[in-house]
Amino acid sequence: MNAASSLHAKRERERLGALARLQTLDALAEPIFAQVTRVAALVMGVPYSAVTLLDQHHARFTSHFGLPSCELPRDDPLCAHTLASTELMEVLDLAGDPRFVDHPMVAEHPGLRFYAGAPLVTSDGHHLGSLSVLDSRRRARLSLTEREALIALAQIAVELIETRLARSAGEIARQMVESAPVAVLYADIAGKIIYANALAAAMLGTHPLELIGCPAESLLPHWHEEVATLAQDTGASTHHASEARHAAGWTIPVELTLSSCKLGEQIGGYGIVMRDESAQRALERENAEAHAFLDTIIDHLPAMLFVKDSATGRYLLTNRAGEELMGRPREEMIGRTARELYPACGTAYEEQDRAALASPSSEQRFENEFTRPDGRRVSLRTTRIVLDGPDRPAQYLLGLSEDVTEVRRAEAEILRLAHFDSLTGLVNRHSYVDRLNELMVSGTELALLAIDLDRFKAVNDQFGHVTGDVVLAAVGERLQAQSSRPTWSRASAATSSSCW
């Protein structure tokens, strides 16, 4: 293949690519192209006209007037000459021209004689085909005016072809904007609304046509500030919370995106996209109120509540009861670990945390003795629960600590009263007998000593039972003080005591 053939093949590939890219076969089915061929025929005073496009294998009358749809082989003489010519081509008598005398549309119906075709050349130089006018009679050459008119119509056809995709894209965009779930408006450089979709009109309480021509500032109270911010911003758009004004006068919270639309280097207008945030703001208020209510409940719980990060062990939250129980303000606790806060017992607390994390599906309860910074010792019963978080499973460790100091003291006192005499501090009769039976059953050697308080009745009679009780208590204390080994002592109602 020589250089000329290679260049021709390259140009043909580019031409076919342009034909496919412009989707011309689809474009010419539109009614506007039928009007072009009709006008061409009427202006030239001929019965036939057609737009002929040449693809890789065929020549097609894709838009035509007075002619039926027709598809000819690509090597058809008329097609070949049409594609080869870049100027308006005229044939005054097709039947008298040896190049076309045997053409089926010349030799047969409709018996064409006259042909004039203006090339369809795109803006980047690709020859797509021609706009032709035809007659079954021989004619004189076209006048200069007719030639200029045919060339102008061919240029119009090319422009329509080239702009079709843009028009289609614009129509698609318009339909998308109309069906978009957001309000869309467009303002010109002067700030006048020149387009509004149905949702924008509904949001603002009016009809789309009533918005046309309205100053943007009448719809957006902060319009001038919005435009100034956009001018200062390095991007092509700004996005933030703003307000719009309803036709009834109230303001609507909106999420506003303002974009500048440029024509060349100059701003040609502004695209406005708004989302009604009324429901979202109401939901945010409800959530804030719910959070505030929950915070109030948490802060007034009678027990300490705390939350830790399970990975770091650091406190994330505690309540007022936690401050009082631990003897520290929450500001000192948040962000620190138990070991940092309580060196003496923090390690044990962290071991309990790990035990709870090892069984995340169940609550874990622990009890500890804790010494507050003021030196007071308290008994704490803590329930630990593992919670999933937004970032990962088992992200948080929730704890509820109760001060059970008084409960444990009461339990100890109940236990003491169950086994010891409240007056003398010695074991009571029930415990004494049980212990004695245990020793006897086990065969343990023991010594039993009975001590009688002489004239104790006289003490009661002379000084009263209150004084007698004081004497008994003193005897109990002395007996316990004299016992150098583990000893059980009991005072009897008969003013005697026994020990072993």
Side-chain angles (χ1 to χ4, degrees):
M1 181 181 293
N2 58 34
S5 298
S6 177
L7 180 60
H8 175 77
K10 179 176 181 296
R11 288 177 176 172
E12 178 63 8
R13 287 196 300 272
E14 292 175 349
R15 191 191 72 82
L16 292 173
L19 197 66
R21 184 174 64 254
L22 294 172
Q23 301 177 10
T24 49
L25 297 181
D26 294 333
L28 294 173
E30 295 179 1
I32 190 169
F33 292 97
Q35 294 299 323
V36 171
T37 53
R38 182 173 182 274
V39 169
L42 294 175
V43 168
M44 302 300 149
V46 296
Y48 312 118
S49 66
V51 171
T52 307
L53 296 178
L54 288 84
D55 62 19
Q56 188 172 5
H57 302 291
H58 303 94
R60 294 179 177 146
F61 289 174
T62 49
S63 178
H64 45 86
F65 177 80
L67 292 170
S69 297
C70 182
E71 185 175 282
L72 300 173
R74 169 65 181 272
D75 58 1
D76 178 84
L78 191 56
C79 300
H81 284 83
T82 299
L83 188 60
S85 175
T86 58
E87 302 293 336
L88 188 145
M89 174 182 166
E90 282 185 272
V91 181
L92 303 182
D93 184 5
L94 292 168
D97 191 318
R99 296 174 296 176
F100 310 115
V101 65
D102 296 325
H103 193 285
M105 296 185 72
V106 175
E108 301 173 10
H109 182 78
L112 298 177
R113 293 295 180 266
F114 176 78
Y115 171 89
L120 301 176
V121 182
T122 65
S123 56
D124 51 1
H126 297 301
H127 193 168
L128 304 180
S130 67
L131 170 61
S132 58
V133 290
L134 307 103
D135 199 339
S136 56
R137 296 178 302 162
R138 289 188 297 274
R139 289 181 50 130
R141 288 187 179 278
L142 298 178
S143 67
L144 178 61
T145 301
E146 290 173 329
R147 291 171 65 88
E148 290 177 348
L150 187 58
I151 292 171
L153 286 171
Q155 291 173 345
I156 290 173
V158 170
E159 290 177 4
L160 289 172
I161 290 171
E162 291 186 319
T163 59
R164 174 187 175 269
L165 292 181
R167 295 197 309 276
S168 297
E171 178 59 21
I172 292 170
R174 187 193 68 78
Q175 293 182 16
M176 290 181 65
V177 167
E178 282 297 328
S179 61
V182 291
V184 181
L185 303 100
Y186 187 83
D188 62 16
I189 190 63
K192 299 290 185 181
I193 301 299
I194 60 176
Y195 171 79
N197 69 353
L199 190 57
M203 178 189 297
L204 299 172
T206 185
H207 189 276
L209 294 179
E210 294 180 355
L211 291 174
I212 305 304
C214 289
E217 62 189 51
S218 68
L219 308 175
L220 299 169
H222 307 294
W223 170 252
H224 295 295
E225 294 90 332
E226 305 282 1
V227 173
T229 301
L230 179 63
Q232 296 170 2
D233 198 281
T234 56
S237 64
T238 57
H239 180 84
H240 53 270
S242 187
E243 292 180 337
R245 182 176 289 116
H246 192 273
W250 67 71
T251 56
I252 307 166
V254 297
E255 183 182 81
L256 176 69
T257 299
L258 181 65
S259 306
S260 59
C261 303
K262 291 189 175 181
L263 299 175
E265 294 298 320
Q266 302 296 322
I267 294 179
Y270 302 97
I272 306 162
V273 178
M274 298 185 297
R275 187 186 299 276
D276 189 343
E277 292 288 285
S278 300
Q280 180 64 27
R281 300 286 175 82
L283 181 61
E284 289 174 358
R285 286 195 300 272
E286 291 176 3
N287 287 341
E289 292 171 359
H291 286 157
F293 180 65
L294 182 60
D295 290 342
T296 301
I297 292 175
I298 290 174
D299 216 37
H300 288 80
L301 285 174
M304 173 185 180
L305 183 142
F306 64 85
V307 178
K308 293 182 180 180
D309 185 297
S310 63
T312 64
R314 298 188 181 280
Y315 285 92
L316 303 176
L317 177 148
T318 190
N319 61 353
R320 187 184 304 172
E323 293 180 306
E324 296 173 354
L325 189 59
M326 308 311 282
R328 294 175 183 268
R330 70 187 75 186
E331 291 77 13
E332 289 185 11
M333 301 173 65
I334 303 302
R336 302 175 69 184
T337 64
R339 199 179 311 187
E340 292 170 347
L341 291 169
Y342 321 114
C345 56
T347 301
Y349 291 165
E350 291 181 359
E351 288 177 357
Q352 293 171 1
D353 290 345
R354 287 190 289 272
L357 289 169
S359 302
S361 60
S362 59
E363 297 178 358
Q364 301 292 315
R365 290 184 174 83
F366 305 90
E367 194 161 322
N368 303 280
E369 292 291 324
F370 173 72
T371 303
R372 289 163 39 94
D374 59 8
R376 183 165 66 91
R377 291 181 61 83
V378 292
S379 296
L380 298 179
R381 181 173 60 202
T382 302
T383 301
R384 286 173 167 82
I385 303 172
V386 179
L387 300 176
D388 293 338
D391 301 327
R392 63 182 186 274
Q395 183 174 354
Y396 301 119
L397 190 65
L398 172 69
L400 192 66
S401 295
E402 302 172 84
D403 183 352
V404 293
T405 305
E406 295 303 322
V407 174
R408 295 296 173 258
R409 287 176 182 169
E411 291 174 348
E413 180 63 16
I414 291 171
L415 182 65
R416 189 187 69 79
L417 293 176
H419 295 282
F420 295 89
D421 181 68
S422 61
L423 176 61
T424 63
L426 304 177
V427 296
N428 57 24
R429 178 177 179 277
H430 178 76
S431 297
Y432 179 84
V433 172
D434 286 347
R435 180 58 177 158
L436 185 59
N437 286 336
E438 290 174 3
L439 293 173
M440 293 179 68
V441 169
S442 64
T444 303
E445 292 183 356
L446 61 90
L448 185 62
L449 174 64
I451 300 174
D452 182 49
L453 298 182
D454 292 338
R455 296 184 294 281
F456 182 74
K457 183 176 181 304
V459 172
N460 281 334
D461 292 342
Q462 184 175 355
F463 300 103
H465 289 282
V466 174
T467 302
D469 290 345
V470 172
V471 171
L472 285 177
V475 171
E477 290 176 1
R478 292 186 181 185
L479 286 174
Q480 293 183 69
Q482 294 298 320
S483 301
S484 58
R485 297 167 57 189
T487 305
W488 283 66
S489 303
R490 176 187 176 271
S492 69
T495 67
S496 62
S497 299
S498 57
C499 305
W500 69 80

